[in-house]
Amino acid sequence: MMSLKEVDLLSISLKQYVYKLKAYSTLFYGLLLAQIIALFFSLLNGISYMSSGNGELSVSVNTYSASLVIIFSFFWILFAAIQLTTKQYKQLENPLVTNSISRNLSNIGFLMTACVFGGITSSLVGVLLRIIMYFTFDRSQIISDEFILAFSDLLLGISVAILYMVLISGIGYLTGVLTKVSMAFVIIIPAVIIGISKAYTDIFQSLIKFFTLESSLPLFGLKVIITSILLFGVSILISNREEVSQ
């Protein structure tokens, strides 16, 4: 049976979460702006160009993709997760009754909402890219195979984008919490990542493949959920200890 203390914590966290959706709305505008910029660059030159010929016949192919939109969205969620741990955003909570646990829970709730929003919009911008190409390009030069995106593929793309954003948000949030403990982590974290990638190349590549080469969506989702719980859990523990020490 849930205790009164747990009910109060959930209630306070929920109120903070709703408040933050309104107070941090500029972050969502930043995402949409980043996606529009990525869409513009995707339309400008495509992502790759190939040309071949035999002297009499020449064929050139431009490949267009919304991958740049996804990449921009990933950087945005990383930035947003780190921003939530900064003093500037913490001061926005001054009108609220809060503690370390409720603050972290509401931040995580906000990030999960941001991941869902970012995953959906980034995938829909990919659809918009196809629509723009269909009505502005010479249709006779468009390779029709797989040009029309199946609804099942759209849902799959949204799901994968959301899961990757959840994972990245966990990494970003932990990074932000660590830099609050000491600014030295701004140098230590990249140095450790570069060091591991150089000294333990096989292990580093295996870790990357662990998340990027999974063909089963449920299994990939399980990997992301477990890893994200660990990342956010460590972030909460460090944040709580830091607040107690202060």
Side-chain angles (χ1 to χ4, degrees):
M1 188 173 181
M2 190 174 291
S3 66
L4 182 60
K5 186 176 181 180
E6 290 173 324
V7 173
D8 289 342
L9 177 61
L10 291 175
S11 176
I12 292 172
S13 300
L14 181 60
K15 290 179 180 178
Q16 290 179 30
Y17 162 74
V18 174
Y19 173 81
K20 288 174 181 178
L21 284 180
K22 300 176 182 178
Y24 302 164
S25 59
T26 51
L27 287 174
F28 291 103
Y29 299 144
L31 169 65
L32 295 176
L33 177 60
Q35 290 176 342
I36 291 172
I37 293 173
L39 175 64
F40 172 76
F41 282 117
S42 298
L43 284 168
L44 194 60
N45 292 313
I47 61 169
S48 65
Y49 173 80
M50 180 183 68
S51 180
S52 63
N54 58 7
E56 297 181 0
L57 180 65
S58 176
V59 177
S60 59
V61 178
N62 270 324
T63 303
Y64 294 83
S65 170
S67 56
L68 193 61
V69 178
I70 301 293
I71 293 172
F72 272 46
S73 300
F74 287 171
F75 277 112
W76 171 82
I77 195 64
L78 180 66
F79 169 80
I82 295 174
Q83 280 292 99
L84 290 186
T85 65
T86 61
K87 186 176 181 180
Q88 174 189 356
Y89 278 81
K90 188 176 179 180
Q91 288 176 343
L92 294 175
E93 301 176 2
N94 289 340
L96 302 174
V97 177
T98 181
N99 58 41
S100 179
I101 296 178
S102 64
R103 181 185 307 114
N104 282 300
L105 289 178
S106 58
N107 281 344
I108 293 170
F110 174 86
L111 286 173
M112 295 304 99
T113 303
C115 290
V116 172
F117 181 79
I120 293 174
T121 54
S122 60
S123 297
L124 291 181
V125 169
V127 176
L128 178 60
L129 173 64
R130 294 167 185 260
I131 293 174
I132 293 174
M133 290 178 59
Y134 184 80
F135 286 104
T136 59
F137 288 31
D138 185 350
R139 298 177 194 175
S140 64
Q141 297 182 4
I142 296 177
I143 299 175
S144 59
D145 292 346
E146 299 182 0
F147 181 79
I148 304 299
L149 186 66
F151 185 67
S152 58
D153 291 337
L154 175 62
L155 291 180
L156 178 62
I158 290 174
S159 301
V160 172
I162 291 173
L163 288 171
Y164 271 122
M165 293 185 77
V166 168
L167 180 62
I168 293 171
S169 69
I171 296 171
Y173 198 74
L174 178 58
T175 301
V177 170
L178 288 173
T179 53
K180 278 184 61 182
V181 175
S182 174
M183 286 302 295
F185 281 104
V186 174
I187 300 175
I188 293 174
I189 293 174
V192 169
I193 294 174
I194 294 173
I196 293 175
S197 65
K198 297 292 185 181
Y200 303 97
T201 305
D202 292 339
I203 295 176
F204 186 77
Q205 289 180 351
S206 297
L207 182 61
I208 299 297
K209 290 177 181 179
F210 180 75
F211 289 105
T212 58
L213 298 182
E214 179 55 60
S215 58
S216 170
L217 180 61
L219 188 55
F220 174 64
L222 184 62
K223 290 179 180 180
V224 170
I225 291 171
I226 293 174
T227 306
S228 299
I229 289 175
L230 291 174
L231 290 170
F232 283 117
V234 172
S235 299
I236 292 174
L237 289 175
I238 295 174
S239 182
N240 288 346
R241 290 188 62 180
E242 181 70 10
E243 187 167 288
V244 170
S245 64
Q246 292 175 352

